[in-house]
C-alpha cells in the first residue's frame, strides 16, 4: 500500500487537467507520483475520502462542487481557507485532514505575474458566491482592490460570503437584479457555473465594463467562451480565462506536499498549446 497517493476529487471530474499538471510537476522534480481523478457525488464525498485515506491517500485537490464540504471535514484549516469557508487542498496529517485554499493565490499569481496586470485600486464585481468565488475573494481583497461587489442568483449566499470576508467597508453583496444599477467596474470575475450549464450567450449589461476593464473567467476552455465573448463585445481591455489560475493553484499545492516549487510556465504553455479546446474548470 503506497503512502504517497494523491488525487483530485470532483463531480464530474473525468475532464480534470490536474493529473496531467501534477505529473508534469513531478517529472520536473524527479518525484515518483501517483495522482488520479476520483469522481465523488456530494452525498458520497466523505465516504470516498475515507476510502482514499485508508488506501494510502496523502493529499488531495478538491474541485466543484465539493470545496465547501471539504472545509467542513477538516480538523485544521489555514487562515486563507477559513476566510474562504472553502478548501481545495487536503493533506493527511496524523490521521486527520488539514485543509488549505490555494485558488486565490493561484489567481493573483497568474494575473499579476504571468499577465503583468495590476489589481490595486480596482473596483471589482464578483459573479457567484459558491466554492470558487469563496476561494478567490479574500485574495482579491489582499491584492489591493478598492471595493468588491458580490452578486449571486441566490442572494443569501452572496450575503453570507460578504459577511464572512469581514471587511464591511470594502466587500458588499447585491442582488442579481441590481446588476443594471451598479455602475461600472475595472475588474469583473465570473465564478459562476452558468457557462457550463448553458453554452449560449452570457448575458450581462454592457455598461458594467469600460475600456479599462479586466474580465476574468475562473473557467477555462469551452466553459469560458460565453463570458469571454461577452467581455470582448463589451469592450473590455483584457479578457483572461482560468487555465493559468488552475496551473498556479496546483503549484501551490504541489509545493506544500513535496517541498518543491515547480516551474509553471512550461506546463501552462504546453496545456495552452496542446488543448485548444479544454472542457471546464477545477
Amino acid at each position: 500500500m503506497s503512502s504517497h497517493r494523491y488525487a483530485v476529487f470532483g463531480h464530474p471530474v473525468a475532464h480534470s487537467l490536474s493529473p496531467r499538471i501534477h505529473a508534469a510537476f513531478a517529472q520536473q522534480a524527479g518525484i515518483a507520483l501517483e495522482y488520479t481523478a476520483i469522481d465523488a457525488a456530494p452525498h458520497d464525498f466523505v465516504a470516498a475520502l475515507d476510502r482514499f485515506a485508508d488506501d494510502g491517500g496523502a493529499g488531495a485537490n478538491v474541485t466543484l462542487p465539493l470545496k465547501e464540504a471539504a472545509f467542513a471535514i477538516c480538523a485544521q484549516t489555514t487562515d486563507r481557507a477559513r476566510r474562504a469557508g472553502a478548501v481545495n487542498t487536503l493533506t493527511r496529517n496524523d490521521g486527520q485532514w488539514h485543509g488549505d485554499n490555494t485558488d486565490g493565490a493561484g489567481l493573483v499569481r497568474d494575473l499579476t505575474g504571468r499577465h503583468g496586470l495590476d489589481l490595486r485600486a480596482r473596483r471589482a464585481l464578483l459573479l457567484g458566491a459558491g466554492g470558487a468565488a469563496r476561494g478567490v475573494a479574500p485574495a482579491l481583497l489582499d491584492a489591493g482592490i478598492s471595493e468588491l461587489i458580490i452578486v449571486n442568483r441566490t442572494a443569501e449566499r452572496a450575503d453570507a460570503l460578504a459577511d464572512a470576508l469581514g471587511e464591511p467597508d470594502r466587500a458588499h453583496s447585491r442582488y442579481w437584479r441590481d446588476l443594471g444599477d451598479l455602475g461600472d467596474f475595472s475588474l469583473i470575475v465570473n465564478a459562476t457555473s452558468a457557462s457550463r450549464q448553458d453554452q449560449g450567450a452570457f448575458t450581462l449589461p454592457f455598461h458594467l465594463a469600460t475600456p479599462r476593464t479586466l474580465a476574468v473567467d475562473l473557467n477555462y476552455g469551452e466553459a469560458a467562451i460565453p463570458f469571454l465573448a461577452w467581455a470582448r463585445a463589451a469592450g473590455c481591455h483584457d479578457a483572461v480565462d482560468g487555465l493559468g489560475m488552475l496551473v498556479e493553484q496546483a503549484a501551490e499545492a504541489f509545493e506544500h506536499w513535496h517541498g518543491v516549487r515547480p516551474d509553471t510556465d512550461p506546463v501552462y504553455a504546453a496545456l495552452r498549446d496542446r488543448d485548444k479546446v479544454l472542457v471546464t474548470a477545477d
Side-chain angles (χ1 to χ4, degrees), residues 110-176:
D110 179 56
L111 295 177
T112 61
R114 176 169 292 108
H115 297 285
L117 297 163
D118 192 345
L119 301 181
R120 291 173 296 180
R122 290 183 186 257
R123 183 172 188 253
L125 174 65
L126 179 61
L127 302 169
R134 284 179 165 273
V136 302
L140 291 174
L141 290 169
D142 291 347
I145 63 172
S146 61
E147 184 180 23
L148 181 67
I149 303 295
I150 304 159
V151 178
N152 192 62
R153 294 192 185 279
T154 305
E156 292 78 10
R157 287 178 66 78
D159 294 341
L161 175 51
D163 290 344
L165 290 170
E167 295 204 31
D169 293 335
R170 286 202 296 160
H172 313 281
S173 58
R174 295 290 184 268
Y175 299 112
W176 198 272

Side-chain angles (χ1 to χ4, degrees), residues 64-117:
L64 299 174
L66 305 173
K67 295 180 182 184
E68 290 168 271
F71 177 82
I73 57 91
C74 287
Q76 292 186 24
T77 52
T78 61
D79 177 67
R80 60 188 181 183
R82 288 191 295 274
R83 289 177 71 197
V87 157
N88 79 331
T89 302
L90 293 167
T91 305
R92 194 72 173 171
N93 286 330
D94 299 324
Q96 298 177 317
W97 289 111
H98 292 198
D100 192 8
N101 197 307
T102 65
D103 279 339
L107 176 63
V108 171
R109 183 180 288 268
D110 179 56
L111 295 177
T112 61
R114 176 169 292 108
H115 297 285
L117 297 163

